[in-house]
Amino acid sequence: LKGTFVPDGVNATVTRDYGATADDKAKKLISKLIFATVSVVALVLIFLGYREAFIVGMAVVITLAVTLFASWAWGFTLNRVSLFALIFSIGILVDDAIVVVENIHRHMQMGGKKLVEAIPLAVDEVGGPTILATFTVIAALLPMAFVTGLMGPYMSPIPINASIGMLISLGVAFIVTPWMSNVVLKVDNHGTAHGEEASSGLYRFFEKWVGPFLRGSDGRKKRWSLGGAILLLIAASVSLAGIQFVVLKMLPFDNKSEFQVVVDMPEGTSVEQTARVMGELGQYLATVPEVTDYQAYAGTASPINFNGLVRQYYLREGANVGDIQVNLTDKHERERKSHEIALGVRQPLQAIGEKYNANVKVVEVPPGPPVQSPLVAEIYGLDYDGQIRVAKEVRGVMESTPDIIDVDDTVESKAPKFILQVDQQKAALLGVPQQNVVAAISTVLSGEDVSYLHEETMKYPLPIRLEYGVENKADIESVLALQIRSQSGELIPLSEIARVEKTVRENAIYHKDLQRVVMVTGDMAGELDSPLYGMFDIVGTLSDKRLDDGRVLEQYFISPPENPYDYSLKWDGEWQVTYETFRDMGIAYSVGLILIYLLVVAQFRSYMVPLIIMAPIPLTIIGVMPGHWLMGKQFTATSMIGMIALAGIIVRNSILLVDFINQQVREGVDFERAVINSGAVRAKPIMLTGVAAMMGAFFILDDPIFSGLAVSLISGILVSTVLTLVVIPVMYYAYMYKRLECIKGAE
């Protein structure tokens, strides 16, 4: 448009392009999806061979293609969450194919049968546990699709896509994989010796490390010692959250390319003064190396963004409010993350604001929970003035609490208001109608189009507007000096027929659920960087503080106050969203565990064996919590999703072990030897599927939002898989040994 519609000297800068941002993230995630698939195939190539890797690779491609079609049919789009769901699912979608191919590979190594004969036997051997294991993963994930609240629709593509993908992968593993194995694989004549050598090596390993825990009554003491050590490790892992080595937070901050500076001047401040303050703030922002440009809006809101939507910033208007939109260089071109930059500029900006009695807040784009503010204290009570007094006390506590920043409230400061009282009797004597007074004041303050200018080159007439200058509007005396013409034609000063009554403006009163409420808001920065910890520090201080009437301020966390006519406080903001999300996820986790238990009961026809099979689920905590601590990550809602997924993934390993032990016993193998054999034979597919799931999660480790999910999967699978190979055989042996002893005693 330059040179035609845009004159020379007028330049445009693109200050926001969310389309380009979304496109960049989508392309990056698609490339990660490809790399995750290739890495899993490479894993199979290293441990099984290139033919087996080709079969697994084709199984993954077919599964992903059908899953994408099912996702489209369900109504999902290709967005960040759905792509993360596919990347996260790569590791578990390939599990069925790996287990089937590995067992076919093992039967080939054993020799003695033609390939076409070995394949049905190999598939049948792992068919039952594989079907059961697949449904346990689905049972763990699918209840998350019914999570309500804000996080439910946001995270629903993960459980739905993963569950659909698991069903498809099961079909591919039992239909496509055996057929391709028959076509692609060939019997290795030298494989028998190699297979026996590998099997004997693993057998010696498990005999050395697991064998001492068996040995009948002689190993009982060691079994109890192992159980005690496991319980101690679980307790120590959980305590990491209690001693704040692992910080609990809803979602961590993303590395965005923007943030906002929100300015609130005292009520009654002119827009020119607001603009001057923002100009000084902008001068400082221009010195920050990572800032490319900024746009200042005085008296109005900036173009609506996510903050404008969820925090209603787009409604901000008035001479005393301002907004600075700050744009940063691309995240690949700077060392500091946007959150670090925001923390760095907050104190200098607030120091500038203090000189002008301005409340300056640095506001980042919220990563997840769309709340008015991370910390929100709602004050209820019978008397609104009393609510304001309590709110001031709460605000004082917030401001004195370490690391609490950007404290504000919904109480508007008193702004002057002038009421012009016309002396009607005197105005009538001087021949000045009251209507003329109102029209004159309206003209000088608001303006009035008194005529129009017509030019040949103009499409529309140009209005001629009559209005006082800004400098004259700022002084009430200049308004009173206005002369109004009487009916006799004489000019009468307004000050002769009117007097000014000074008062204050009526303040806005906020309501929630038809109840008057005063809100105190804030945020938290510092080492912990989680509003939950700051909130509970404030809760502890307020619990010891008494109101003017001597009563302790009642605090509510889940539901509104029972009696809104007593002064009380309801905590909202990020706490409310965090509570509802983790509550619903906890319920989904519990439902998943119950479904897993029922599935395993149906398969093994026992009420005790499923408890042993599900024993590795608590073991995931030993990996998850220390993993977050060692990697310096916060435990977030996505971390919880990873823990829920782990329940189904880890139970798969237990099912494979226990099913193989039972199979060996049915074939006449000694029970103790069968336990050792289960570890020696099933260790390879268990480790392969575990590493595959970890590799899928590795590619989302660098994402700020979903890194918690990746840490949970990587550390949880690593530790619990290793422990499962020891704990499950030992626990199953202890249960069956005690049961056999009871049977012998009864006989």
Side-chain angles (χ1 to χ4, degrees):
L1 297 177
K2 292 204 70 171
T4 54
F5 294 99
V6 179
D8 294 335
V10 176
N11 300 307
T13 302
V14 177
T15 59
R16 183 188 305 164
D17 190 351
Y18 287 162
T21 305
D23 182 65
D24 176 64
K25 290 183 176 180
K27 288 179 179 176
K28 184 177 181 181
L29 289 175
I30 290 172
S31 65
K32 285 187 175 184
L33 181 62
I34 296 171
F35 280 120
T37 305
V38 171
S39 65
V40 170
V41 174
L43 176 71
V44 180
L45 173 67
I46 294 170
F47 286 96
L48 295 181
Y50 71 93
R51 297 177 185 272
E52 289 83 352
F54 174 76
I55 295 170
V56 171
M58 290 303 298
V60 173
V61 171
I62 294 170
T63 302
L64 279 178
V66 182
T67 302
L68 280 170
F69 173 79
S71 182
W72 166 81
W74 192 273
F76 289 137
T77 58
L78 276 181
N79 52 59
R80 283 192 73 198
V81 180
S82 60
L83 285 170
F84 269 116
L86 291 174
I87 297 171
F88 151 74
S89 302
I90 282 292
I92 57 178
L93 292 183
V94 77
D95 283 359
D96 293 343
I98 287 178
V99 169
V100 170
V101 170
E102 193 279 335
N103 210 44
I104 294 173
H105 178 83
R106 186 175 71 87
H107 275 259
M108 288 169 52
Q109 297 290 337
M110 290 167 60
K113 292 184 180 68
K114 294 181 180 179
L115 184 60
V116 73
E117 297 172 348
I119 288 175
L121 293 174
V123 175
D124 181 63
E125 186 177 89
V126 295
T130 300
I131 293 172
L132 178 60
T134 300
F135 278 99
T136 58
V137 176
I138 294 173
L141 288 171
L142 197 56
M144 279 196 296
F146 300 97
V147 171
T148 60
L150 295 167
M151 289 297 290
Y154 182 66
M155 292 296 182
S156 61
I158 293 179
I160 293 175
N161 273 345
S163 299
I164 293 173
M166 287 300 296
L167 285 174
I168 295 169
S169 70
L170 184 64
V172 171
F174 285 159
I175 299 171
V176 178
T177 303
W179 171 76
M180 289 190 66
S181 298
N182 187 46
V183 173
V184 176
L185 295 182
K186 66 177 182 177
V187 178
D188 186 357
N189 294 326
H190 304 286
T192 304
H194 173 74
E196 289 177 353
E197 182 183 346
S199 179
S200 61
L202 284 171
Y203 183 86
R204 287 194 299 271
F205 176 84
F206 279 92
E207 174 67 26
K208 179 181 179 180
W209 294 103
V210 180
F213 294 101
L214 309 181
R215 309 285 190 269
S217 58
D218 296 336
R220 182 175 295 159
K221 187 176 181 180
K222 291 184 177 180
R223 291 196 292 270
W224 280 104
S225 299
L226 176 64
I230 294 295
L231 292 175
L232 189 63
L233 286 173
I234 292 173
S237 300
V238 172
S239 67
L240 291 176
I243 59 178
Q244 298 180 2
F245 279 20
V246 177
V247 176
L248 304 178
K249 196 174 189 291
M250 182 63 193
L251 283 175
F253 282 105
D254 199 354
N255 190 10
K256 297 288 188 180
S257 59
E258 61 177 327
F259 63 85
Q260 281 177 269
V261 179
V262 178
V263 181
D264 290 305
M265 299 292 291
E267 298 287 340
T269 304
S270 65
V271 70
E272 291 78 15
Q273 177 63 13
T274 302
R276 280 192 290 270
V277 174
M278 294 177 66
E280 191 168 338
L281 295 172
Q283 288 176 5
Y284 168 75
L285 289 170
T287 64
V288 179
E290 295 88 350
V291 174
T292 57
D293 54 74
Y294 67 90
Q295 300 80 47
Y297 302 87
T300 186
S302 62
I304 190 168
N305 56 10
F306 190 57
N307 267 329
L309 181 68
V310 302
R311 297 180 175 176
Q312 299 165 3
Y313 285 168
Y314 74 99
L315 295 174
R316 287 167 51 86
E317 62 177 349
N320 64 312
V321 301
D323 193 345
I324 303 178
Q325 178 73 29
V326 184
N327 299 313
L328 307 175
T329 56
D330 188 83
K331 60 184 178 182
H332 302 295
E333 300 174 2
R334 49 183 161 89
E335 295 182 0
R336 291 195 298 174
K337 296 182 178 179
S338 60
H339 182 56
E340 297 173 13
I341 299 170
L343 289 176
V345 303
R346 178 175 277 111
Q347 189 172 357
L349 290 175
Q350 290 178 341
I352 295 172
E354 285 177 3
K355 295 189 301 182
Y356 303 98
N357 199 23
N359 187 353
V360 178
K361 290 178 280 190
V362 177
V363 184
E364 301 176 65
V365 178
V371 294
Q372 182 178 353
S373 186
L375 285 172
V376 178
E378 299 173 350
I379 312 299
Y380 294 90
L382 176 62
D383 177 59
Y384 190 68
D385 291 333
Q387 289 176 251
I388 294 176
R389 288 194 300 272
V390 174
K392 295 297 182 185
E393 292 187 33
V394 173
R395 177 169 181 168
V397 172
M398 275 195 183
E399 291 174 335
S400 62
T401 303
D403 297 333
I404 301 298
I405 57 172
D406 294 345
V407 181
D408 202 353
D409 56 46
T410 57
V411 180
E412 297 178 357
S413 58
K414 294 182 179 180
K417 178 181 178 180
F418 299 111
I419 299 177
L420 209 61
Q421 299 282 3
V422 178
D423 188 337
Q424 296 184 15
Q425 184 177 1
K426 192 171 184 180
L429 290 173
L430 293 173
V432 180
Q434 190 170 346
Q435 181 181 357
N436 291 4
V437 176
V438 174
I441 294 175
S442 176
T443 299
V444 298
L445 296 182
S446 301
E448 182 181 355
D449 296 339
V450 295
S451 184
Y452 292 90
L453 183 64
H454 298 272
E455 288 280 345
E456 292 182 359
T457 57
M458 291 182 181
K459 186 175 182 180
Y460 300 102
L462 182 67
I464 300 173
R465 191 166 186 82
L466 191 63
E467 186 178 355
Y468 259 12
V470 175
E471 66 280 3
N472 293 324
K473 291 183 186 179
D475 186 11
I476 189 65
E477 296 301 327
S478 63
V479 177
L480 292 174
L482 175 67
Q483 294 184 334
I484 301 173
R485 192 174 299 278
S486 66
Q487 291 178 344
S488 61
E490 184 181 359
L491 292 175
I492 308 295
L494 183 60
S495 57
E496 287 194 17
I497 57 174
R499 60 182 179 84
V500 176
E501 180 182 341
K502 294 183 179 180
T503 180
V504 294
R505 289 185 190 174
E506 296 82 3
N507 291 336
I509 299 177
Y510 288 78
H511 290 74
K512 185 174 182 179
D513 297 332
L514 303 181
Q515 296 290 341
R516 286 184 174 184
V517 62
V518 177
M519 287 178 277
V520 183
T521 60
D523 200 349
M524 187 173 182
E527 187 176 351
L528 293 178
D529 200 21
S530 174
L532 301 181
Y533 295 90
M535 187 193 84
F536 284 110
D537 287 342
I538 298 168
V539 168
T541 305
L542 289 175
S543 62
D544 299 328
K545 191 176 184 63
R546 295 188 176 273
L547 301 175
D548 295 338
D549 57 4
R551 290 183 298 174
V552 176
L553 181 66
E554 291 288 336
Q555 300 183 66
Y556 295 84
F557 300 92
I558 299 173
S559 57
E562 297 175 0
N563 184 1
Y565 301 108
D566 287 335
Y567 294 124
S568 53
L569 184 153
K570 164 68 174 66
W571 287 102
D572 203 271
E574 190 167 316
W575 152 255
Q576 187 72 27
V577 180
T578 303
Y579 163 75
E580 291 176 354
T581 300
F582 279 90
R583 177 200 64 193
D584 290 355
M585 284 191 173
I587 294 172
Y589 194 28
S590 303
V591 172
L593 295 180
I594 294 171
L595 291 174
I596 291 172
Y597 179 77
L598 295 175
L599 285 168
V600 181
V601 166
Q603 172 69 18
F604 289 94
R605 293 177 174 83
S606 169
Y607 292 109
M608 188 63 191
V609 172
L611 296 178
I612 296 172
I613 289 176
M614 295 173 67
I617 294 176
L619 301 183
T620 59
I621 299 175
I622 301 175
V624 170
M625 299 306 283
H628 281 79
W629 174 44
L630 293 174
M631 295 188 186
K633 300 292 185 180
Q634 298 167 327
F635 189 89
T636 62
T638 57
S639 303
M640 187 69 179
I641 293 174
M643 279 197 66
I644 294 173
L646 279 173
I649 296 170
I650 295 303
V651 166
R652 164 195 291 274
N653 302 335
S654 303
I655 293 171
L656 289 173
L657 289 168
V658 173
D659 184 79
F660 190 82
I661 293 172
N662 292 341
Q663 180 185 332
Q664 290 268 286
V665 171
R666 285 194 298 269
E667 293 174 359
V669 180
D670 178 69
F671 182 60
E672 187 172 322
R673 181 177 176 82
V675 172
I676 300 295
N677 285 345
S678 70
V681 174
R682 291 297 181 227
K684 194 171 184 178
I686 286 174
M687 296 299 288
L688 275 176
T689 54
V691 173
M694 291 167 60
M695 292 180 74
F698 179 79
F699 287 92
I700 58 176
L701 190 60
D702 61 341
D703 186 85
I705 303 299
F706 286 89
S707 59
L709 171 64
V711 172
S712 290
L713 288 177
I714 293 171
S715 57
I717 290 174
L718 176 65
V719 174
S720 58
T721 299
V722 174
L723 291 176
T724 297
L725 290 170
V726 177
V727 173
I728 292 304
V730 171
M731 286 186 66
Y732 191 60
Y733 176 86
Y735 167 69
M736 294 303 293
Y737 176 77
K738 186 175 181 180
R739 187 178 179 186
L740 291 172
E741 277 191 333
C742 293
I743 293 172
K744 289 179 181 178
E747 291 176 350

